Amino acid sequence: MAGFFSRSVRATADEDAGSDEAPLRPIAASDAVRRVELLDSFEAAGLGWFWATDAQGRLIYLSDNASEKLGWSDGEAIGKPLGELFIPERFDDPNKTQRPLVFLLSARNSISGLNVRLAFTKEEVWWEIAGKPQFDEKGRFTGYRGSARDVTASRESDLNAERVAQFDPLTGLANRERLTTRLTETLTSYRNSKRACALLTLDLDRFKQITDTMGQQGGDELLKQVAARLEQIVDSEGEIGHLGGGKFQIVQPDVDDRGALGELGQRLIQALSQPYSIDGARAIIGASIGVAIAPYDGLDTKELVTAADLALYAAKGGGRGQYRFYSSDLKNSVQERRRVEEDLRDAIANGQISMHYQPVVCAKTYKVQSCEALMRWDHPENGDVPPAVFIPVAEDIGIIREMGEWALNEVCRQAKQWPVELRVAVNVSPMQFAHDDFAQTVRNALTNSGLDAARLELEITENVFLGDIGRAQGMFAELKELGVNLALDDFGSGYSSLSYLRTASFDTIKIDQGFVRGATEEGNNNAAILTAIVGLADALGMETVAEGVEARDELELVTQRGATLVQGFIFARPMPNEDFVDRLANGQQTYEARGPAKYRAARKTVFRRIGLIHEDNRYKVVMRNLSKTGAMIEGLLEVPLGTQVVLDLGGGQLAVATVRRSKGALQGVEFENPLISDGAEGLCTRHRVSPYQIEAAGRPLAALPQDPYSLIMGEQEGAGSPRQFVEVEVGTPKPGTGY
Ligand code: C2E
Ligand code: MG
Ligand code: MG
């Protein structure tokens, strides 16, 4: 090694050449000449430099080769204020661990190991400097003496190491550690400034299907493309992290508007659901998202992450491809879900599962053309559990194939015995479809029952395209060979790519209820889309079923727009096999259209005990129904029209409303601001009572409790004004639908 040590070693060796026993000549502190020589060689080797300033902070010395490195000729640096040699640091730099140089200099503090960036170099050059203030015998400041060394290279490699430690090498996104640190920092600093921060946890739906069919490499390629799409949508304020596998997290500082977050969730899901090209093959994936907002749903990282995970879990349980906000009821839903899981495992063996049938009628003649088999679970304690609840559970706990196989056999067996040879459609879960032996299962069901293949239709959703499209096409071909019909179910509800229609030769497209619903409302473009879908299906020689037709105006619209078949409550609800057989046996093959004349804005019938706040009094009322724009409440007598009230919908959701209808104990109220979708079937307010407000009322800061309003109002309630309305007791409804 050339340089400082080699030079000094050589010097000693030369002088003692020829002698084995060289005498030791230590450099004494008083030996100024040899000490200067020593420092000279240190400077010359570039291992470090010295600098000194005068009492005014001007440079009076800088090692020659430091000046050279900076491109200064001899002595040019002399006289410059030390602080000006470096780029001033930003005071708000989050990575800063020390006070800035100018501060240290003016306070005459010692400087040790401070990294500073040189101001006058073209390239980025960093020094680490150290220095001590000097004082004369009278204690007067005389300037600094210090050292410096170039740390550009080691700093670069430190930064690289940091990057490796903080970022996911595959996607370039922050990794779990970095995201957790950032979230923790944000939450801590936001707590003081009373700001909000949202966390979205996103999980790709059935990511495993991609790695199973396209291998690890295919999966990695997909993740890269997913990351790129996420980065396009999430603005620079947000930070995205890849936690591993198909799981991502997005931190959105300063957002607590659930309307905006719902829109973001929807946009993310839509963007990720567009097809991907992976090594020349096409693949599709969906995404589910859970949303939690600090401080409402959690104060610290752990609480917020758990809340977002619970919401994600609910979004998955709700059928995937959706977002869901955290709410405190989700904690109960985890327990409920465990119960469903346990009970469902034995449901078939216990004879609790049966198939019901809903007719599909000709749009012109109302004559039954076919029917759809729908699974029912009659739970001994909870009554009818809807398939929307138990099918996703069956998929998650891995019993959907068994249940689906049972359904296929049961339907084929029953249909074979019907007095009329009607076609019957069976719903197929994408998880059944993904299995190579699925065609064999269908073949067995046909053989066992002796049902003609042409009478069986398989309803699949767009989700079967998740994963490798080529593989799905192979399965379609096998099924077609068996002679069964194929229907694309719920078209328009999810990813809705028209390209699916080219991918497989479907016999039928079932237009999702969501398109029929509201298509008759003014300003709604569903009707136009309906026309387009029907036109396309016609061109491709497919039949179109309009699903979920309830009102006469909807029937008129779908018929006018060319749908060939109609399925909906307007003709019949799904019914047990015996009832269906009775009708067929009685020759009752034409149905009557029976339903309301007009579809009314989705007013969900509910029975929920809520609070109604009028002036500073709070009343207990029952909410009977709820829509985006208003609600029907019961429990107060004779409330005058035009009365301004606030509905406390629970969980800190306060909705300002005006009484528009009033009859006895029933009041119809209109919200000042419409509610928004909670991602599932439900509605929620955009904003909630802030935990900071509760804190301001003298309570400790905590995530929102179930009934935060009472914490704020507590003692003050009814302090001033007398109660103006008479509360009446409202009875409980009959036991509901169970879960
Ligand atoms: P889907 O295949 O789209 O079935 C149509 C759903 O719409 C059924 O709900 C039906 O009762 C309902 N419906 C029909 N007409 C109307 C109407 O006019 N208004 C309204 N509001 N609803 C109407 P259901 O039986 O609750 O089933 C829900 C979903 O569960 C089905 O949607 C299907 O995806 C799934 N499912 C049902 N049975 C099975 C099964 O055996 N296997 C699998 N894998 N999934 C099933
Ligand atoms: Mg269906
Ligand atoms: Mg459907």
Side-chain angles (χ1 to χ4, degrees), residues 358 372 375-376 387 427 489-490 513 547-550 568-569 574:
Q358 186 181 28
E372 176 171 7
M375 202 180 269
R376 292 291 175 262
N427 291 286
D489 201 0
D490 300 344
Q513 305 201 7
E547 283 191 292
V549 176
E550 290 182 12
F569 294 171

Side-chain angles (χ1 to χ4, degrees), residues 516-527 553 557 599-602:
V516 174
R517 199 72 61 241
T520 54
E521 282 172 8
E522 231 172 281
N524 184 315
N525 56 11
N526 283 2
D553 62 341
L557 183 99
Y599 167 74
R600 277 186 302 139

Side-chain angles (χ1 to χ4, degrees), residues 560-575:
Q560 183 202 353
R561 300 286 161 145
T564 46
L565 299 166
V566 178
Q567 176 183 359
F569 294 171
I570 191 163
F571 291 114
R573 289 178 179 258
M575 60 193 104

Side-chain angles (χ1 to χ4, degrees), residues 1-328:
M1 187 180 91
F4 171 59
F5 291 107
S6 54
R7 217 176 111 180
S8 44
V9 170
R10 192 171 351 114
T12 333
D14 281 347
E15 277 170 35
D16 303 310
S19 121
D20 292 315
E21 277 287 306
L24 184 67
R25 291 182 56 210
I27 302 178
S30 56
D31 188 348
V33 174
R34 284 178 66 214
R35 278 182 61 204
V36 167
E37 195 184 271
L38 183 69
L39 295 177
D40 262 354
S41 53
F42 180 84
E43 275 187 321
L47 287 170
W49 308 300
F50 301 108
W51 55 270
T53 64
D54 63 10
Q56 277 75 49
R58 294 171 302 198
L59 267 184
I60 50 170
Y61 179 79
L62 180 65
S63 300
D64 274 353
N65 84 3
S67 294
E68 251 167 58
K69 271 220 154 191
L70 297 172
W72 286 329
S73 49
D74 279 355
E76 205 184 327
I78 301 307
K80 292 201 161 72
L82 179 71
E84 282 183 16
L85 299 188
F86 309 108
I87 295 174
E89 276 179 82
R90 284 175 40 209
F91 278 80
D92 57 353
D93 183 351
N95 298 319
K96 173 190 78 187
T97 50
Q98 280 197 27
R99 297 178 135 168
L101 179 65
V102 275
F103 180 89
L104 295 173
L105 291 174
S106 65
R108 292 173 188 168
N109 287 348
S110 289
I111 305 162
S112 77
L114 184 72
N115 277 9
V116 284
R117 182 173 166 190
L118 299 199
F120 300 107
T121 51
K122 261 197 236 119
E123 275 160 25
E124 198 171 318
V125 177
W126 286 82
W127 281 6
E128 182 184 278
I129 59 171
K132 263 198 176 318
Q134 307 292 315
F135 300 92
D136 64 14
E137 61 285 357
K138 292 208 176 105
R140 282 175 305 208
F141 174 66
T142 56
Y144 272 93
R145 303 286 177 270
S147 65
R149 64 190 184 101
D150 189 322
V151 290
T152 312
S154 63
R155 197 182 146 89
E156 181 70 14
S157 72
D158 284 354
L159 284 179
N160 272 337
E162 201 175 314
R163 223 168 279 147
V164 169
Q166 294 201 10
F167 293 90
D168 166 35
L170 179 68
T171 59
L173 297 176
N175 63 16
R176 186 190 291 270
E177 285 70 31
R178 178 182 165 89
L179 210 83
T180 307
T181 313
R182 294 296 296 247
L183 185 61
T184 307
E185 282 168 3
T186 309
L187 293 181
T188 315
S189 78
Y190 275 27
R191 203 192 270 206
N192 298 329
S193 44
K194 304 207 183 314
R195 286 154 77 180
C197 177
L199 175 71
L200 290 81
T201 302
L202 182 153
D203 193 37
L204 299 177
D205 295 334
R206 306 210 168 88
F207 175 59
K208 193 172 167 296
Q209 226 149 285
I210 297 275
T211 45
D212 282 353
T213 55
M214 303 184 124
Q216 186 65 39
Q217 244 185 328
D220 284 355
E221 178 54 35
L222 180 91
L223 289 175
K224 276 193 221 164
Q225 296 186 26
V226 164
R229 291 187 192 183
L230 291 176
E231 280 185 310
Q232 270 185 352
I233 293 184
V234 176
D235 60 27
S236 56
E237 299 297 304
E239 171 139 21
I240 315 168
H242 179 215
L243 308 187
K247 206 164 176 192
F248 296 82
Q249 253 173 2
I250 299 162
V251 178
Q252 280 279 305
D254 291 313
V255 185
D256 66 355
D257 176 350
R258 292 195 285 185
L261 288 165
E263 280 161 26
L264 173 65
Q266 201 53 47
R267 253 186 301 142
L268 289 167
I269 292 169
Q270 258 162 17
L272 296 187
S273 306
Q274 302 305 315
Y276 298 79
S277 165
I278 293 171
D279 293 334
R282 267 158 53 86
I284 292 179
I285 194 119
S288 304
I289 299 177
V291 187
I293 310 164
Y296 305 84
D297 305 320
L299 294 182
D300 59 23
T301 304
K302 190 160 171 261
E303 260 185 327
L304 201 64
V305 168
T306 310
D309 278 349
L310 264 177
L312 171 66
Y313 187 64
K316 293 238 162 210
R320 303 183 174 83
Q322 48 183 252
Y323 64 86
R324 195 67 74 82
F325 296 118
Y326 170 79
S327 85
S328 53

